[in-house]
């Protein structure tokens, strides 16, 4: 599979078109040819957008690997401190389990609680601490690698869509804990191989029978691992006031310790990691394309269709009435006192609009003045099908639709234009009324 993928390059191009001066070439025959513009060196950087994006992706992946390795090293370093042996080399079995698994269990319950809280009270501003730290590091790495800021933001926008943030942070957290616990299990095995340890227990609040029941209850899931676990006699002989402990009893307690770390530590983290990674990938795959991505797709899809319809005049005449039906309906009559904005208009004012109140919107000053109007009647915005809507058009129409709720987009339908469906799709995305057309006479 090529990297970046076609969808990644499309998302990168859409973000750059919306937040920078980049514009994909309008003369491209199809989308793949247009996206090749991302492979060219930029005006401020010797590397292309694609090269910068791929380099940032590699560093992001390597950063995750460093996080896992760091967690593994921490597990190797901390575990020996849990085996605080006295001169008799006796160690409290449950205090050792609490040391190895206590923080892990607390973190697990906190993660579950935060997941429930985010589900009950969703907020767009919720950003897990781990993702905030990654964003900060990504910004520093981008600056160090001389990667343009907009490329860095576009990468993070693709890598971390809004609805997948929780699952990405959860995957990183479970992966780090899994590395830590695996290191702890490995170091525990090494310590037990090189030390003869006697496992003991003592309690003040619990009776012997309740302690025995607790141990057997915790041992029940461990039987699935096929281990020889402490028996009733082993548990009773391991009380602190009992001085003798056989080799078999020590081995049974060692199996209990190792099985507990694997069953109550490693296995839950592994299952949760797989679940969170699956949810993260699912959210990524099912993410909704941005309006700018749809505009780019429509822009070059219609160019492909137009080129494929180059046929001889006689054949065109036979199939003229069999073309794809238009999505627009013609306006029958124009009201004399209606307000019309002619967006990016270079032709003469259409004859049906001679008596109407028209304003040409060709520069920012004219557009801002039109935005400031607040008419009570319907406002008409006339656009031409000879050119496709771009990111500036989308921003202007979005602002206009918010400030003038009675807005109606009208398409100036010319014979040479072929972007009818692009304007219809944009009108639908902005929740405007059904697009109508003013045919060229």
């Amino acid at each position: 599979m090529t990297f970046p993928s076609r969808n990644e390059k499309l998302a990168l191009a859409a973000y750059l078109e919306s937040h920078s001066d980049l514009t994909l070439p309008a003369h491209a025959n199809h989308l793949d040819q247009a996206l090749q513009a991302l492979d060219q060196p930029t005006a401020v950087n010797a590397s292309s957008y694609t090269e910068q994006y791929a380099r940032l992706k590699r560093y992001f992946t390597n950063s995750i690997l460093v996080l896992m390795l760091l967690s593994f090293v921490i597990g190797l370093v901390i575990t020996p401190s849990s085996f605080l042996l006295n001169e008799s080399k006796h160690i409290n079995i449950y205090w050792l389990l609490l040391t190895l698994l206590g923080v892990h269990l607390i973190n697990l319950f906190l993660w579950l609680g935060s997941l429930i809280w985010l589900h009950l009270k969703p907020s767009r501003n919720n950003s897990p601490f781990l993702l905030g730290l990654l964003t900060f590091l990504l910004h520093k790495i981008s600056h160090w690698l001389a990667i343009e800021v907009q490329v860095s933001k576009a990468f993070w926008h693709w890598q971390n869509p809004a609805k997948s943030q929780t699952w990405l942070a959860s995957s990183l957290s479970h992966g780090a804990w899994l590395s830590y616990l695996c290191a702890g299990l490995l170091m525990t095995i090494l310590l037990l191989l090189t030390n003869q340890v006697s496992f003991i227990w003592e309690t003040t609040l619990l009776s012997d029978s309740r302690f025995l029941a607790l141990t057997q209850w915790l041992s029940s899931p461990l039987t699935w691992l096929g281990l020889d676990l402490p028996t009733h006699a082993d548990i009773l002989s391991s009380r602190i006031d009992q001085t003798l402990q056989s080799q078999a009893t020590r081995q049974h307690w060692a199996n209990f310790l190792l099985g507990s770390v694997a069953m109550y530590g490693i296995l839950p983290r592994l299952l949760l990691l797989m679940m969170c990674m699956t949810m993260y990938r699912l959210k990524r795959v099912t993410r909704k394309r941005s309006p700018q991505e749809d505009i780019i797709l429509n822009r070059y899809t219609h160019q492909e269709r137009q080129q494929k319809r180059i046929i001889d005049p006689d054949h065109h005449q036979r199939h003229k009435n069999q073309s794809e039906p238009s999505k627009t309906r013609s306006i029958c009559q124009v009201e004399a006192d209606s307000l019309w904005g002619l967006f990016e208009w270079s032709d003469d004012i259409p004859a049906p609009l001679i008596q109407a109140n028209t304003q040409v919107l060709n520069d920012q000053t004219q557009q801002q003045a039109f935005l400031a109007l607040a008419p009570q009647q319907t406002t008409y915005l006339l656009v031409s099908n000879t050119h496709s809507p771009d990111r500036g058009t989308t921003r202007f129409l979005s602002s206009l639709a918010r400030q003038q709720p009675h807005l109606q987009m009208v398409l100036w339908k010319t014979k040479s234009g072929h972007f009818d469906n692009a304007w219809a799709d944009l009108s639908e995305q902005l929740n405007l009324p059904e697009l109508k057309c003013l045919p060229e006479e």
Side-chain angles (χ1 to χ4, degrees):
M1 182 179 180
T2 59
F3 176 81
S5 65
R6 188 172 187 260
N7 288 334
E8 282 183 278
K9 296 184 73 172
L10 173 61
L12 174 62
Y15 190 92
L16 292 176
E17 278 202 351
S18 300
H19 298 85
S20 71
D21 296 331
L22 173 73
T23 302
L24 295 181
H27 60 273
N29 296 328
H30 49 78
L31 178 60
D32 291 330
Q33 183 180 359
L35 292 177
Q36 290 178 3
L38 300 176
D39 301 330
Q40 304 301 321
T42 65
V44 297
N45 199 313
S47 302
S48 66
Y49 290 117
T50 304
E51 291 174 351
Q52 296 178 55
Y53 186 95
R55 195 187 318 154
L56 199 57
K57 174 70 173 181
R58 287 195 298 270
Y59 274 86
F60 177 74
T61 304
N62 292 337
S63 298
I64 295 177
L65 295 178
V66 169
L67 174 63
M68 301 301 117
L69 181 60
L70 182 62
S71 301
F72 190 84
V73 172
I74 292 175
L76 293 178
V77 173
I78 290 181
T79 302
S81 63
S82 303
F83 285 79
L84 298 177
L85 302 176
N86 52 30
E87 294 181 358
S88 60
K89 292 191 175 182
H90 289 172
I91 187 168
N92 192 310
I93 180 63
Y94 276 97
W95 185 255
L96 181 57
L97 273 179
L98 184 63
T99 305
L100 293 175
L101 297 177
V103 180
H104 146 74
L105 292 174
I106 292 174
N107 174 267
L108 207 57
F109 284 116
L110 288 177
W111 170 79
L112 184 60
S114 64
L115 202 64
I116 296 174
W117 175 261
L118 291 175
H119 178 73
L120 295 178
K121 293 185 175 294
S123 173
R124 294 182 180 180
N125 297 324
N126 285 328
S127 181
F129 169 77
L130 192 56
L131 287 187
L133 178 61
L134 279 178
T135 304
F136 173 78
L137 293 177
L138 191 68
H139 175 73
K140 293 299 182 182
I141 292 175
S142 301
H143 180 73
W144 177 55
L145 296 175
I147 293 176
E148 297 180 34
V149 175
Q150 298 303 334
V151 176
S152 175
K153 292 182 178 180
F155 168 77
W156 195 240
H157 181 74
W158 165 265
Q159 196 70 36
N160 187 35
K163 293 184 179 181
S164 67
Q165 292 181 353
T166 301
W167 302 114
L168 176 58
S170 299
S171 299
L172 295 175
S173 176
H174 293 314
W177 272 105
L178 180 62
S179 298
Y180 172 85
L181 292 170
C182 287
L185 180 63
L186 177 61
M187 184 57 69
T188 301
I189 293 175
L190 292 176
L191 289 170
L192 293 177
L193 286 174
T194 56
N195 291 275
Q196 181 172 306
V197 178
S198 295
F199 296 97
I200 59 173
W201 60 272
E202 57 183 333
T203 179
T204 301
L205 297 178
L206 297 178
S207 63
D208 291 355
S209 60
R210 291 190 175 183
F211 187 88
L212 181 65
L214 174 63
T215 305
Q216 291 178 338
W217 178 75
L218 290 175
S219 299
S220 297
L222 306 183
T223 57
W224 302 339
L225 302 177
L227 301 175
D228 292 329
L229 301 172
T231 62
H232 186 280
D234 291 331
I235 299 173
L236 293 179
S237 65
S238 300
R239 191 180 177 94
I240 191 171
D241 54 0
Q242 304 295 323
T243 58
L244 297 178
Q245 191 173 81
S246 65
Q247 178 66 25
T249 300
R250 287 194 293 267
Q251 290 181 351
H252 292 167
W253 279 117
N255 291 339
F256 175 79
L257 174 64
L258 297 175
S260 296
V261 173
M263 181 64 68
Y264 302 118
I266 293 178
L267 183 60
R269 289 292 180 178
L270 178 60
L271 295 177
L272 290 173
L273 174 62
M274 295 172 61
M275 181 196 76
C276 291
M277 289 184 64
T278 301
M279 291 299 298
Y280 172 66
R281 294 182 181 276
L282 183 63
K283 294 294 184 181
R284 287 274 305 279
V285 170
T286 58
R287 77 176 187 94
K288 186 178 180 180
R289 285 196 301 262
S290 65
Q292 187 64 31
E293 290 179 65
D294 289 330
I295 289 174
I296 294 176
L297 284 174
N298 290 330
R299 184 190 308 166
Y300 296 103
T301 300
H302 289 296
Q303 286 193 9
E304 291 173 2
R305 291 177 181 172
Q306 180 69 14
Q307 289 186 356
K308 292 177 181 179
R309 292 177 182 269
I310 298 178
I311 51 181
D312 61 272
D314 292 338
H315 188 83
H316 181 270
Q317 186 67 30
R318 288 194 303 269
H319 294 277
K320 183 176 181 180
N321 298 327
Q322 300 177 9
S323 60
E324 180 180 353
S326 173
K327 294 183 178 181
T328 59
R329 293 186 303 174
S330 299
I331 290 182
C332 299
Q333 184 177 2
V334 176
E335 300 176 2
D337 59 344
S338 58
L339 175 61
W340 287 75
L342 279 57
F343 184 71
E344 296 184 352
W345 202 261
S346 58
D347 300 328
D348 296 332
I349 297 178
L353 303 183
I354 296 298
Q355 302 299 325
N357 181 11
T358 59
Q359 296 186 21
V360 178
L361 311 177
N362 286 345
D363 55 43
Q364 188 174 5
T365 302
Q366 296 171 338
Q367 293 174 5
Q368 292 298 325
F370 195 76
L371 281 172
L373 299 176
Q376 298 298 322
Q377 73 273 21
T378 301
T379 303
Y380 297 92
L381 185 73
L382 186 64
V383 298
S384 176
N385 69 345
T386 57
H387 59 84
S388 174
D390 55 17
R391 66 181 188 278
T393 303
T394 304
R395 287 196 297 267
F396 173 70
L397 287 179
S398 299
S399 301
L400 189 62
R402 287 194 300 268
Q403 298 187 29
Q404 299 186 14
H406 302 293
L407 178 66
Q408 168 71 66
M409 188 193 300
V410 180
L411 182 67
W412 176 240
K413 197 174 179 65
T414 64
K415 297 178 181 179
S416 60
H418 54 271
F419 291 103
D420 303 43
N421 289 338
W423 288 105
D425 292 338
L426 180 58
S427 176
E428 183 178 353
Q429 291 169 11
L430 298 177
N431 295 321
L432 296 176
E434 182 182 4
L435 182 65
K436 297 180 181 179
C437 73
L438 191 64
E440 182 182 39
E441 296 180 353

